[in-house]
Amino acid sequence: MGLAVAVRIASELTGRLQLSVFPCLLERLIYSRHEPSVELTALSRLIRMDPALCFMTMRLDRSMGSNSHTADNPGVDAVVRRIGMAGIDAITTQAMADQALNGIHHQQGLALGWLWRHCLTTALLAQGLALELDFRPVEEAYTAGLLHDIGKLALFARTPAACAPMLSDPDQASQLLKAEEQVAESDHCRIGAQLIRRYTGAWFASDAARYHAAASAEVINALPLVQIVWAANRLARDPYPSSEACQTVSGLLNLNPRQLNPLLHKAQEHALAAANELGVVADMPEKDRTTGTHTVPLSQEIRTSTVLSSVYGELLTATDHDAIVRVLRQSLSVFMGIDDLILFDHDPHRDILIGRFPVDNVFPIPIDRLHIPLTASDCLPVICHVSGEAMNSFSRARQGKLTIIDRQLMAYMHKDGIVCMPVRSGTGHGTAVLLLGIDAGDRTWVEQQTTLLKAIVAAVAGAMERERQRCDQKNSQATDRIESIESKTRKIVHEINNPLSIIKNYLKVLTLRTDEKSSGKNELRIIDEEISRVTGLIKALTSPSDKIPVNLETVDVNATITDILSIFHESLPKKTSIRLSSDLDAHIPVIASDRDRLKQALINLLKNAMEAMPDGGTIQVSTRMVKSSPGHIDDKEEAGHIKISVCDDGPGIDERIKNDLFKPNVTSKTGHDGLGLSIVHEAVTRLKGSLVCESAPGGGTCFHIELPAGGSGSKNGTTIDSDT
């Protein structure tokens, strides 16, 4: 293939990206990874020596969503810590498969030696210049210097035979630059900048790559990082840079020329030490580079097997559905260069496909708003879901039949086309659809990788099926436990009701023996009512919460409050510092309500107020008639509402929990379960009422219950559905 064609191909790099790792370094990374006591720091040290590995690591980190602000933390060590050993295994597998699949020969691999040494020297020199100029962060200068020639690596990966001779000889590098400008109306600088910005988000490093070969007059007005990388590249091109080059760099950076030589010498020494460590023969004569055997390309089957071994290893550690999807996203990004995807789940109740799990947040609308009805039978995702066959928008048979939904999805993903893959396990379970966004330039390559793509999706589908079976088993076990608990509860309720019935019978006997004018008559009535309320609460344990009826009866709100206050008065210690008072409006009417639920709400509010004032205070209960209730769930009641207020002069409610006050287990009091207010809220809601809290730090708390005043009710009358 000629250089002109090679450059044109490289200038069109979009979704599928391959980069060639320096073979000696890749081999050392593989050996180091499998040492028993290897640590991430040792592997990170190797990764930060190679521009391709560094780029692949940053790209994987971004695709996994673990680094949303690459520019804020550009260090390779930090990125390696985030992706971990699993991420290193993934990029290593990709590098091995890509280079073997492309059939890079021994001679072509050696051609990378000069470019590798140059990139590493540039990175080390950029780091030294950053320290000298007090530029921060220094690590960003190193990374930008290492990645500045990534465009050349991308070009080499696509067409190694055409590019190897020029990359192996610095004297011929100018031919590559000239060809780029003439053929592609672009250059490797623009290509590299596009790749860095798109796949890593490192904007400043992208700019440094874009302008590293610009004229010296242009970079005078550039930002510091661009100037530093430009200067490092200019000095690192030759073992002994000319005095003119040194003068240009010193003038640009405002440094003494004598400061440059030690920095360059140190960078060259470190790069040479790295080469010696890897066993690279420095400055190998051109004639010796022709020796050596050719690497035999891997077959598609072998590559698929290699990739799947990595995918299966990741899936074995995935502990839930989200983790499985992350493995899918990571695998497609690393092994196939596909970063844009949507997973559609089938909702059998509504018979629609619902978007789930985007790779990032670039879509113009929330993914879960993508609802595709199965009645849209002509759109690609539905056809894929129903037929179980892969579909794509590039097929000539589909071009003229694309629906509006298909075109919308392509627009949402900012891609030229889409590929739909069914996600089904071997047992036939699972009805998800994987949607991939593909650029037209990558269509052929993706089609060539169909076997690998299907294998990855099948592995993920199998993992999802196993996860579904685990969830079903857990749910089944949970159901069995619940049934066992319910059975025990019914037995306990039955046994408790027996002594309660006996107690109620004795109360009736005592009531008959008590004189009507006796002061104990009222106390016996209250005890009888409370036992009846306990009986109701116990009975509710065996009934679904949304099926517990509301027992309407005629309720005198003031009388109910008086009874409750009487109970609390009697139960308070003689020397208590808590004072109970009431201000009850005598003109409020009786209402049709559930007396037991109302008492439940009021008792919990009073108890809550007492617990809020351990050192004592005043609690006042008041009733008023109000004409309207803005906070009420049903304002159609023409008779108005009865407002019941329970106020204390305690410390008030912590602002941090105010918004979640009526949720279970929310409390600011030590040693309390935080259930009282949630019970009050549920009871008031079932009474078709509203509950409002007013509180200020140090200013006490008031809870206001408003109940509809319409209706009169009848004693032990109607049972209504309480589901609101």
Side-chain angles (χ1 to χ4, degrees):
M1 179 183 292
L3 181 60
V5 178
V7 174
R8 184 178 295 111
I9 290 174
S11 68
E12 296 172 353
L13 285 171
T14 51
R16 174 56 191 167
L17 173 65
Q18 291 173 289
L19 295 173
S20 297
V21 179
F22 186 43
C24 298
L25 201 147
L26 178 60
E27 183 179 0
R28 176 60 60 86
L29 179 64
I30 294 170
Y31 285 140
S32 298
R33 170 64 184 92
H34 292 92
E35 291 177 0
S37 59
V38 67
E39 296 182 354
L40 278 175
T41 52
L43 301 179
S44 178
R45 176 176 169 273
L46 294 172
I47 290 173
R48 58 183 284 116
M49 288 184 187
D50 186 86
L53 286 174
C54 177
F55 182 92
M56 292 160 67
T57 302
M58 295 173 68
R59 175 184 177 176
L60 177 59
D61 180 49
R62 193 182 193 210
S63 72
M64 292 169 65
S66 57
N67 183 18
S68 58
H69 301 288
T70 306
D72 295 340
N73 191 0
V76 178
D77 293 336
V79 175
V80 170
R81 284 195 298 271
R82 284 195 292 269
I83 68 171
M85 290 293 186
I88 293 176
D89 290 342
I91 62 174
T92 303
T93 303
Q94 178 195 9
M96 287 191 301
D98 283 349
Q99 294 192 198
L101 184 65
N102 291 340
I104 295 177
H105 302 309
H106 181 72
Q107 177 188 357
Q108 295 164 358
L110 291 176
L112 287 174
W114 177 83
L115 184 59
W116 169 74
R117 283 271 301 275
H118 171 69
C119 289
L120 182 57
T121 304
T122 301
L124 292 166
L125 183 53
Q127 179 178 265
L129 290 171
L131 287 170
E132 195 73 24
L133 297 169
D134 198 26
F135 173 85
R136 296 291 186 274
V138 174
E139 186 66 19
E140 186 175 27
Y142 179 92
T143 303
L146 190 66
L147 297 180
H148 80 283
D149 258 342
I150 204 74
K152 287 182 181 178
L153 281 177
L155 176 60
F156 176 84
R158 284 294 181 99
T159 54
C163 298
M166 294 184 182
L167 294 184
S168 62
D169 186 351
D171 294 332
Q172 299 185 48
S174 59
Q175 298 181 38
L176 179 62
L177 297 175
K178 186 176 180 179
E180 289 171 344
E181 294 173 356
Q182 293 178 349
V183 177
E185 297 182 354
S186 180
D187 53 44
H188 74 280
C189 302
R190 289 192 180 94
I191 295 170
Q194 175 191 2
L195 295 177
I196 295 171
R197 182 167 297 187
R198 175 175 181 178
Y199 292 115
T200 73
W203 287 76
F204 291 111
S206 170
D207 290 339
R210 170 69 180 84
Y211 299 109
H212 78 269
S216 58
E218 293 183 56
V219 295
I220 292 175
N221 297 314
L223 292 175
L225 184 62
V226 171
Q227 294 179 336
I228 289 172
V229 173
W230 184 92
N233 173 66
R234 180 70 181 83
L235 295 176
R237 284 190 306 192
D238 303 310
Y240 306 100
S242 65
S243 59
E244 178 187 356
C246 292
Q247 288 291 339
T248 302
V249 170
S250 63
L252 175 68
L253 301 181
N254 196 25
L255 291 174
N256 190 313
R258 294 181 180 179
Q259 294 175 270
L260 298 178
N261 287 331
L263 294 176
L264 177 59
H265 182 67
K266 183 178 180 181
Q268 290 174 335
E269 277 191 339
H270 285 179
L272 180 60
N276 292 334
E277 178 186 346
L278 298 174
V280 179
V281 179
D283 302 323
M284 181 183 290
E286 181 68 30
K287 61 180 180 180
D288 293 335
R289 289 177 179 161
T290 59
T291 61
T293 57
H294 295 297
T295 302
V296 180
L298 285 177
S299 68
Q300 182 70 22
E301 290 77 12
I302 295 177
R303 181 181 184 233
T304 299
S305 176
T306 303
V307 171
L308 284 180
S309 64
S310 175
V311 174
Y312 282 132
E314 288 296 299
L315 289 174
L316 288 175
T317 63
T319 56
D320 54 32
H321 189 273
D322 288 350
I324 294 171
V325 173
R326 282 195 293 272
V327 173
L328 171 64
R329 289 163 48 178
Q330 174 181 314
S331 301
L332 292 179
S333 175
V334 170
F335 300 122
M336 303 199 65
I338 299 175
D339 289 327
D340 300 280
L341 60 89
I342 304 174
L343 189 64
F344 282 94
D345 283 339
H346 177 228
D347 184 341
H349 301 293
R350 292 185 287 172
D351 217 18
I352 60 175
L353 297 176
I354 302 177
R356 294 280 189 264
F357 310 110
V359 71
D360 50 35
N361 296 319
V362 301
F363 298 102
I365 65 171
I367 291 300
D368 57 5
R369 288 191 59 194
L370 290 179
H371 293 180
I372 303 178
L374 292 191
T375 52
S377 56
D378 292 333
C379 74
L380 295 179
V382 174
I383 295 175
C384 175
H385 168 75
V386 174
S387 67
E389 299 292 332
M391 307 295 297
N392 73 82
S393 62
F394 298 105
S395 169
R396 289 187 178 181
R398 301 301 315 171
Q399 278 292 322
K401 299 180 181 179
L402 295 180
T403 65
I404 292 178
I405 291 177
D406 297 325
R407 299 184 189 280
Q408 283 181 290
L409 292 172
M410 291 159 57
Y412 291 153
M413 303 184 81
H414 303 290
K415 292 296 181 180
D416 300 327
I418 54 176
V419 173
C420 300
M421 300 288 297
V423 183
R424 294 184 175 180
S425 65
T427 60
H429 290 91
T431 54
V433 173
L434 178 63
L435 187 73
L436 308 175
I438 305 295
D439 283 320
D442 296 320
R443 172 197 171 187
T444 302
W445 191 91
V446 172
E447 288 178 347
Q448 292 172 351
Q449 307 303 315
T450 299
T451 301
L452 176 59
L453 178 59
K454 288 183 176 180
I456 292 175
V457 173
V460 169
M464 287 182 174
E465 172 62 14
R466 290 189 294 273
E467 175 61 20
R468 185 190 67 80
Q469 291 175 354
R470 284 196 296 268
C471 289
D472 288 348
Q473 184 178 8
K474 288 175 63 177
N475 291 337
S476 176
Q477 292 172 349
T479 300
D480 292 342
R481 285 196 299 270
I482 291 172
E483 290 178 352
S484 175
I485 292 171
E486 288 179 346
S487 176
K488 291 179 180 178
T489 302
R490 283 192 293 269
K491 293 176 182 178
I492 293 171
V493 168
H494 179 270
E495 292 304 313
I496 290 177
N497 277 329
N498 288 335
L500 287 177
S501 297
I502 295 173
I503 293 172
K504 284 183 69 67
N505 288 335
Y506 272 99
L507 279 174
K508 288 180 181 179
V509 173
L510 288 174
T511 302
L512 292 174
R513 293 178 179 177
T514 304
D515 189 271
E516 288 293 334
K517 296 181 180 180
S518 172
S519 60
K521 193 81 170 181
N522 190 52
E523 282 78 0
L524 290 174
R525 176 185 61 79
I526 293 174
I527 293 173
D528 184 65
E529 288 180 357
E530 288 303 300
I531 290 176
S532 296
R533 194 164 71 86
V534 170
T535 302
L537 291 173
I538 292 173
K539 186 177 180 181
L541 291 174
T542 58
S543 302
S545 59
D546 59 342
K547 298 300 182 182
I548 300 173
V550 174
N551 296 310
L552 287 183
E553 56 183 305
T554 300
V555 177
D556 185 332
V557 175
N558 286 347
T560 302
I561 293 173
T562 301
D563 285 347
I564 294 172
L565 291 177
S566 176
I567 295 173
F568 273 84
H569 270 299
E570 293 298 328
S571 62
L572 287 174
K574 295 296 183 183
K575 296 182 180 180
T576 183
S577 55
I578 291 179
R579 190 171 69 89
L580 298 174
S581 67
S582 62
D583 180 14
L584 308 179
D585 185 353
H587 297 94
I588 64 172
V590 295
I591 61 173
S593 189
D594 186 323
R595 187 193 308 273
D596 287 343
R597 288 193 186 277
L598 179 58
K599 291 175 73 173
Q600 181 185 33
L602 292 173
I603 288 172
N604 273 285
L605 287 179
L606 287 168
K607 182 173 177 290
N608 204 61
M610 289 181 176
E611 291 171 349
M613 301 186 298
D615 298 326
T618 299
I619 302 173
Q620 183 180 63
V621 183
S622 62
T623 57
R624 292 289 184 271
M625 192 69 192
V626 293
K627 293 299 182 183
S628 62
S629 176
H632 197 271
I633 60 175
D634 184 3
D635 287 332
K636 298 179 180 179
E637 295 284 351
E638 297 180 358
H641 297 83
I642 293 175
K643 183 177 182 179
I644 307 170
S645 300
V646 179
C647 300
D648 65 63
D649 55 6
I653 295 174
D654 192 331
E655 290 290 335
R656 293 173 298 178
I657 66 171
K658 250 187 176 181
N659 293 334
D660 300 321
L661 199 57
F662 301 131
K663 294 180 180 178
N665 304 315
V666 175
T667 182
S668 60
K669 294 177 289 187
T670 305
H672 293 269
D673 52 22
L675 295 175
L677 291 179
S678 67
I679 291 172
V680 174
H681 185 263
E682 180 182 356
V684 173
T685 301
R686 291 187 180 279
L687 294 175
K688 308 298 182 183
S690 64
L691 177 64
V692 177
C693 173
E694 293 180 353
S695 181
T701 302
C702 281
F703 286 94
H704 304 290
I705 298 174
E706 293 190 11
L707 301 174
S712 58
S714 58
K715 187 69 176 177
N716 296 327
T718 312
T719 298
I720 63 173
D721 185 3
S722 63
D723 190 8
T724 56

